[in-house]
Amino acid sequence: MTAPKTSDGYAWDRQAGVRPGLESDAVVTPPRSVRTATKVYDAIVVGAGYAGLAAARDLAKLNHTVLLLEARDRIGGRTYTVKKDGFLYEMGGTWVTHHMGYLFREMTRYGMDRDLITTGSPNMERGYYTINVAGTEPRKLSHEEAGAMSAKAWDLFVNVDGQHGRTLCPLPHAQLDNVVVDRATVEKWDQVSCHERFQQIKHKLTAEEQGLLVSLLLHISGGHMETSSLWDMIRSHALLMHSSDNFGDVWLRYKLRDGQTELARRIFADAVDSGLEYAFSTQVASVAQDRQTDQPSTVRTVAGEAFRARKVVCTVPLNVLKDVAFEPALSARRREAITIGHINQMSKIHADVRNPELERWNGMRFPGQLMYGYGDGVLPNGDVHLVAFGADQRGSFVPEKEPLKAVDALQKLHPMDVKSLTFHNWCTDPFSQGGPAWWRPGYMSKYQDELQSRHGNVFFASADWAHGWRASIDGALEQGALSALAIDTELKATKRKAARGRL
């Protein structure tokens, strides 16, 4: 059965060229269920990514009246699944793990916690890894050998305290003001860039190991070494239980068999069944609060519509917040954080190739417009599915404009016969303006508290400033759930006070 087509994303093949729009069950039809424009809602949620879906569902199930506004024609935000010829392609957030508490709760709630598949084909040990680092001879090696080289370099890089980060980041969900580490210590380490740390330890690595490490760090941050924060890597290592042994299993191993969109659909359907109203293809332009905080806020759309609510949850991504006007104005510190934004300008491209020998291949090339490629299963027609990633190459690499550059980048990773490409360019997407948020040195300790704080009756919820699993599905769910909990508490208190006043 053919899925509806979203206006997001691109497909390419040599015969038809680049075509915008991809098939996805994330598309919502009908796109609108608003019953009346004059209603005052308990809450308006701006954005239907995981943060917005969690907030809207939780509030609706707590018997609050909720309106969900979304600029796209679909749910999922920076996470959605494309269906093509019987195969599922994850365009953004992909992997799941039982170590992500908020995500695991949702998977369990909707019966998807055991319905998993693993990345790649079975028996990956039968495959091989290729490494191509400038200044060295390209070569083929086993997955085990490549993994050991990466682990050696990563462990050396993050082990700044001799305890693999345990004394600096023992509680990655409470990086600041926790019971173990004083804030001044965290702030000191937060000032260090990945480039500075690399310069300290590179003499202990071979040229290949150096290339593996730098490309891995840029693969993670989506930026540049000078603008990538060492603390972000320390935090990430802490989330791996302070051991690189867990790197693959936690970050890259498990996927939902039915795709991320299926989980998002179940959350959305649950919210609708609980009374949620919604409007898709509805971009928000401004959020205005009355000077009297007990009066409803007004959310205006680009099309000129106005909706009112007692509370607002804004899940607009960090790099897009500058496009929304707030009245009264946001704090100077939050405005500064928004102006700086995050650094992740990653590339992610799916390729279908006519190369059966690449079914169990992984490989890297550095430098390169695409630095990593992973074999990820066999398509129903027998072709091999690959996923490739690159960091910030915006000045020279815009795949929807020059798709043959993407083909060339793939072929530089490994000789292959590329049949088609499927991708979403998050860097040029006006509603994301980048991938998941990775931060500059010093950004976390200066801005995280402010980004997480409320602005009057406006609550900000996004994976882009989550406590632990920032830049992940779990972080989005965390922020949406926390906002809903706070709003529910306040709304119920207000309603109890009004009820007592009527007695």
Side-chain angles (χ1 to χ4, degrees):
M1 183 176 177
T2 302
K5 181 174 283 190
T6 173
S7 60
D8 283 342
Y10 300 91
W12 172 88
D13 61 55
R14 292 186 185 277
Q15 290 71 38
V18 174
R19 305 175 304 283
L22 299 169
E23 294 179 1
S24 176
D25 286 331
V27 177
V28 174
T29 53
R32 197 176 179 96
S33 72
V34 179
R35 299 184 181 97
T36 174
T38 60
K39 181 177 182 178
V40 176
Y41 295 88
D42 289 327
I44 290 176
V45 178
V46 180
Y50 270 122
L53 292 175
R57 187 273 318 276
D58 287 358
L59 288 168
K61 292 189 78 67
L62 289 165
N63 298 315
H64 300 296
T65 57
V66 186
L67 172 64
L68 176 65
L69 302 176
E70 167 58 52
R72 303 183 190 276
D73 57 13
R74 59 171 181 81
I75 56 174
R78 285 170 287 183
T79 298
Y80 72 107
T81 311
V82 166
K83 283 186 174 181
K84 188 177 80 168
D85 300 327
F87 197 81
L88 300 182
Y89 301 74
E90 297 292 357
M91 306 312 295
T94 299
W95 292 283
V96 303
T97 169
H98 293 180
H99 294 285
M100 294 179 173
Y102 286 91
L103 174 56
F104 183 54
R105 178 176 180 268
E106 299 296 338
M107 291 162 56
T108 303
R109 181 173 188 159
Y110 296 106
M112 300 179 70
D113 54 306
R114 302 196 181 192
D115 196 10
L116 307 177
I117 57 175
T118 56
T119 299
S121 293
N123 305 310
M124 283 295 288
E125 69 276 2
R126 297 178 186 173
Y128 62 95
Y129 193 101
T130 57
I131 181 171
N132 186 346
V133 174
T136 67
E137 191 68 26
R139 66 187 180 101
K140 181 188 297 186
L141 58 161
S142 68
H143 291 299
E144 182 179 13
E145 184 180 357
M149 291 172 64
S150 295
K152 172 191 171 183
W154 171 264
D155 286 345
L156 183 63
F157 183 82
V158 298
N159 190 19
V160 297
D161 60 351
Q163 297 292 324
H164 298 280
R166 288 181 177 87
T167 65
L168 289 179
C169 191
L171 299 164
H173 290 266
Q175 299 166 67
L176 296 167
D177 303 319
N178 63 66
V179 69
V180 181
V181 186
D182 65 275
R183 187 177 182 116
T185 298
V186 175
E187 290 179 345
K188 182 189 78 170
W189 283 103
D190 187 35
Q191 301 299 318
V192 182
S193 72
C194 285
H195 173 74
E196 291 169 316
R197 175 59 179 166
F198 176 70
Q199 294 301 314
Q200 294 172 357
I201 56 95
K202 69 178 183 179
H203 65 282
K204 299 180 181 180
L205 302 171
T206 68
E208 282 187 332
E209 290 166 347
Q210 289 180 27
L212 274 170
L213 175 59
V214 173
S215 58
L216 176 60
L217 296 172
L218 297 182
H219 183 356
I220 294 171
S221 76
H224 301 280
M225 289 289 282
E226 294 80 5
T227 58
S228 299
S229 164
L230 167 64
W231 182 264
D232 259 359
M233 305 304 165
I234 294 172
R235 171 186 60 88
S236 300
H237 190 67
L239 289 166
L240 298 174
M241 288 71 71
H242 301 95
S243 173
S244 61
D245 291 344
N246 303 314
F247 201 104
D249 283 348
V250 172
W251 273 359
L252 302 168
R253 184 167 177 79
Y254 300 103
K255 298 189 293 186
L256 297 174
R257 180 182 300 278
D258 296 323
Q260 287 291 341
T261 285
E262 180 57 29
L263 177 57
R265 278 166 51 91
R266 295 186 191 188
I267 298 173
F268 179 65
D270 199 0
V272 172
D273 287 346
S274 301
L276 175 71
E277 297 179 36
Y278 58 83
F280 286 79
S281 299
T282 303
Q283 183 181 353
V284 166
S286 66
V287 179
Q289 301 180 71
D290 193 282
R291 295 293 179 178
Q292 299 179 33
T293 57
D294 60 340
Q295 295 299 306
S297 300
T298 300
V299 178
R300 295 189 184 277
T301 71
V302 170
E305 292 181 285
F307 301 98
R308 301 170 71 214
R310 296 172 180 86
K311 306 289 181 181
V312 176
V313 182
C314 179
T315 73
V316 173
L318 176 58
N319 284 358
V320 187
L321 269 173
K322 63 183 183 297
D323 298 333
V324 180
F326 291 89
E327 175 62 37
L330 302 176
S331 70
R333 177 162 292 203
R334 197 191 303 263
R335 295 200 307 272
E336 185 176 86
I338 293 168
T339 298
I340 295 170
H342 71 76
I343 66 168
N344 191 335
Q345 299 293 332
M346 60 172 289
S347 299
K348 179 179 182 180
I349 296 179
H350 296 264
D352 298 348
V353 304
R354 299 182 180 92
N355 301 86
E357 71 277 11
L358 297 185
E359 178 185 349
R360 296 177 176 86
W361 163 79
N362 292 347
M364 63 80 63
R365 177 189 175 96
F366 183 76
Q369 291 178 323
L370 293 174
M371 299 183 298
Y372 281 86
Y374 305 95
D376 192 19
V378 177
L379 302 171
N381 65 3
D383 290 335
V384 171
H385 169 237
L386 305 177
V387 188
F389 293 88
D392 189 352
Q393 297 283 336
R394 288 171 293 168
S396 60
F397 189 51
V398 184
E400 64 267 33
K401 291 185 177 180
E402 298 179 280
L404 291 181
K405 280 192 175 182
V407 174
D408 180 64
L410 284 159
Q411 292 172 336
K412 286 177 178 175
L413 279 169
H414 192 291
M416 63 181 71
D417 182 4
V418 179
K419 183 176 178 180
S420 64
L421 304 175
T422 306
F423 60 96
H424 187 126
N425 191 339
W426 300 106
C427 307
T428 57
D429 183 325
F431 305 130
S432 63
Q433 299 181 35
W438 290 81
W439 288 349
R440 297 171 182 270
Y443 194 97
M444 187 276 296
S445 54
K446 186 173 183 180
Y447 298 117
Q448 176 168 278
D449 290 341
E450 186 69 20
L451 288 169
Q452 291 178 349
S453 68
R454 63 190 292 177
H455 176 62
N457 284 322
V458 179
F459 294 72
F460 291 91
S462 170
D464 286 356
W465 48 79
H467 285 287
W469 288 102
R470 174 160 42 82
S472 76
I473 296 164
D474 189 81
L477 293 167
E478 166 209 292
Q479 288 289 295
L482 292 177
S483 292
L485 181 62
I487 289 172
D488 174 59
T489 300
E490 292 188 13
L491 288 175
K492 285 181 176 175
T494 299
K495 291 175 181 178
R496 284 195 298 269
K497 181 179 179 181
R500 287 196 298 269
R502 289 193 294 268
L503 294 178

